[in-house]
Amino acid sequence: TDEIMHQDIVPLYAADIEDQLKKQFAYLSGGRGGDGCPVITFPDYPTFSEIPEKEFQNVLTYLTSIP
């Protein structure tokens, strides 16, 4: 089973993950895909492979919850 998809989603606030967001390994560029969904950008980040899984999940959960 896919653990990420089966986790209970807890609302995250920017203030809760401020340090993680400041790293800018992922961000909303403001663009939208053909289906109208927001585009999440993953810029070149030298230590991307060293980002802890929980931190990665927090940032993506936050970014995907922004209307």
Side-chain angles (χ1 to χ4, degrees), residues 19-44:
D19 292 336
Q20 297 168 24
L21 291 171
K22 283 183 179 179
K23 292 181 181 181
Q24 295 184 335
F25 60 83
Y27 61 89
L28 292 175
S29 62
R32 296 218 173 248
D35 58 359
C37 293
V39 174
I40 297 176
T41 301
F42 295 90
D44 187 26

Side-chain angles (χ1 to χ4, degrees), residues 2-29:
D2 186 18
E3 292 178 25
I4 294 173
M5 297 305 292
H6 290 69
Q7 292 178 356
D8 292 329
I9 297 176
V10 177
L12 286 174
Y13 302 99
D16 296 336
I17 60 169
E18 181 179 1
D19 292 336
Q20 297 168 24
L21 291 171
K22 283 183 179 179
K23 292 181 181 181
Q24 295 184 335
F25 60 83
Y27 61 89
L28 292 175
S29 62

Side-chain angles (χ1 to χ4, degrees), residues 45-56:
Y45 191 79
T47 56
F48 190 82
S49 63
E50 296 173 15
I51 297 169
E53 183 177 340
K54 184 64 176 168
E55 190 171 309
F56 184 78

